[in-house]
PDB file of all heavy atoms in Angstrom:
ATOM      1  N   PRO A1070     -83.558-203.316  36.605  1.00 97.00           N
ATOM      2  CA  PRO A1070     -84.091-204.697  36.817  1.00 97.00           C
ATOM      3  C   PRO A1070     -83.392-205.542  37.722  1.00 97.00           C
ATOM      4  O   PRO A1070     -84.046-206.591  38.134  1.00 97.00           O
ATOM      5  CB  PRO A1070     -83.773-205.190  35.372  1.00 97.00           C
ATOM      6  CG  PRO A1070     -82.687-204.358  34.763  1.00 97.00           C
ATOM      7  CD  PRO A1070     -82.913-202.957  35.407  1.00 97.00           C
ATOM      8  N   HIS A1071     -82.215-205.251  38.243  1.00 97.00           N
ATOM      9  CA  HIS A1071     -81.624-206.102  39.270  1.00 97.00           C
ATOM     10  C   HIS A1071     -82.360-206.214  40.527  1.00 97.00           C
ATOM     11  O   HIS A1071     -82.319-207.108  41.336  1.00 97.00           O
ATOM     12  CB  HIS A1071     -80.205-205.526  39.609  1.00 97.00           C
ATOM     13  CG  HIS A1071     -80.193-204.450  40.653  1.00 97.00           C
ATOM     14  ND1 HIS A1071     -80.060-204.695  41.981  1.00 97.00           N
ATOM     15  CD2 HIS A1071     -80.211-203.138  40.492  1.00 97.00           C
ATOM     16  CE1 HIS A1071     -80.051-203.595  42.649  1.00 97.00           C
ATOM     17  NE2 HIS A1071     -80.143-202.660  41.781  1.00 97.00           N
ATOM     18  N   THR A1072     -83.336-205.253  40.744  1.00 97.00           N
ATOM     19  CA  THR A1072     -84.182-205.151  41.890  1.00 97.00           C
ATOM     20  C   THR A1072     -85.014-206.521  42.149  1.00 97.00           C
ATOM     21  O   THR A1072     -85.193-206.951  43.262  1.00 97.00           O
ATOM     22  CB  THR A1072     -85.222-204.022  41.897  1.00 97.00           C
ATOM     23  OG1 THR A1072     -84.426-202.773  41.616  1.00 97.00           O
ATOM     24  CG2 THR A1072     -85.942-203.865  43.124  1.00 97.00           C
ATOM     25  N   LEU A1073     -85.446-207.123  41.006  1.00 98.00           N
ATOM     26  CA  LEU A1073     -86.291-208.323  41.165  1.00 98.00           C
ATOM     27  C   LEU A1073     -85.544-209.501  40.575  1.00 98.00           C
ATOM     28  O   LEU A1073     -86.179-210.651  40.573  1.00 98.00           O
ATOM     29  CB  LEU A1073     -87.626-208.047  40.504  1.00 98.00           C
ATOM     30  CG  LEU A1073     -88.488-207.039  40.955  1.00 98.00           C
ATOM     31  CD1 LEU A1073     -89.860-206.921  40.143  1.00 98.00           C
ATOM     32  CD2 LEU A1073     -88.858-207.279  42.443  1.00 98.00           C
ATOM     33  N   ALA A1074     -84.358-209.324  40.080  1.00 97.00           N
ATOM     34  CA  ALA A1074     -83.724-210.442  39.437  1.00 97.00           C
ATOM     35  C   ALA A1074     -83.502-211.721  40.444  1.00 97.00           C
ATOM     36  O   ALA A1074     -83.420-212.875  39.952  1.00 97.00           O
ATOM     37  CB  ALA A1074     -82.317-210.010  38.882  1.00 97.00           C
ATOM     38  N   PHE A1075     -83.414-211.443  41.618  1.00 97.00           N
ATOM     39  CA  PHE A1075     -83.128-212.531  42.675  1.00 97.00           C
ATOM     40  C   PHE A1075     -84.402-213.497  42.762  1.00 97.00           C
ATOM     41  O   PHE A1075     -84.194-214.596  43.287  1.00 97.00           O
ATOM     42  CB  PHE A1075     -82.833-211.964  44.026  1.00 97.00           C
ATOM     43  CG  PHE A1075     -84.087-211.411  44.748  1.00 97.00           C
ATOM     44  CD1 PHE A1075     -84.851-212.192  45.543  1.00 97.00           C
ATOM     45  CD2 PHE A1075     -84.513-210.025  44.456  1.00 97.00           C
ATOM     46  CE1 PHE A1075     -85.957-211.623  46.187  1.00 97.00           C
ATOM     47  CE2 PHE A1075     -85.595-209.513  45.133  1.00 97.00           C
ATOM     48  CZ  PHE A1075     -86.360-210.320  45.957  1.00 97.00           C
ATOM     49  N   LEU A1076     -85.444-213.068  42.215  1.00 98.00           N
ATOM     50  CA  LEU A1076     -86.649-213.974  42.316  1.00 98.00           C
ATOM     51  C   LEU A1076     -86.439-215.336  41.652  1.00 98.00           C
ATOM     52  O   LEU A1076     -87.173-216.261  42.029  1.00 98.00           O
ATOM     53  CB  LEU A1076     -87.999-213.293  41.894  1.00 98.00           C
ATOM     54  CG  LEU A1076     -88.456-212.062  42.630  1.00 98.00           C
ATOM     55  CD1 LEU A1076     -89.602-211.387  41.949  1.00 98.00           C
ATOM     56  CD2 LEU A1076     -88.879-212.557  44.094  1.00 98.00           C
ATOM     57  N   GLY A1077     -85.522-215.407  40.716  1.00 97.00           N
ATOM     58  CA  GLY A1077     -85.295-216.637  40.090  1.00 97.00           C
ATOM     59  C   GLY A1077     -84.804-217.624  40.991  1.00 97.00           C
ATOM     60  O   GLY A1077     -84.830-218.919  40.791  1.00 97.00           O
ATOM     61  N   THR A1078     -84.200-217.135  42.089  1.00 96.00           N
ATOM     62  CA  THR A1078     -83.579-218.099  43.135  1.00 96.00           C
ATOM     63  C   THR A1078     -84.695-218.707  44.100  1.00 96.00           C
ATOM     64  O   THR A1078     -84.302-219.735  44.803  1.00 96.00           O
ATOM     65  CB  THR A1078     -82.613-217.479  44.051  1.00 96.00           C
ATOM     66  OG1 THR A1078     -83.198-216.455  44.870  1.00 96.00           O
ATOM     67  CG2 THR A1078     -81.559-216.752  43.199  1.00 96.00           C
TER      68      THR A1078
END
Side-chain angles (χ1 to χ4, degrees):
H1071 84 88
T1072 306
L1073 298 179
F1075 72 91
L1076 289 176
T1078 68

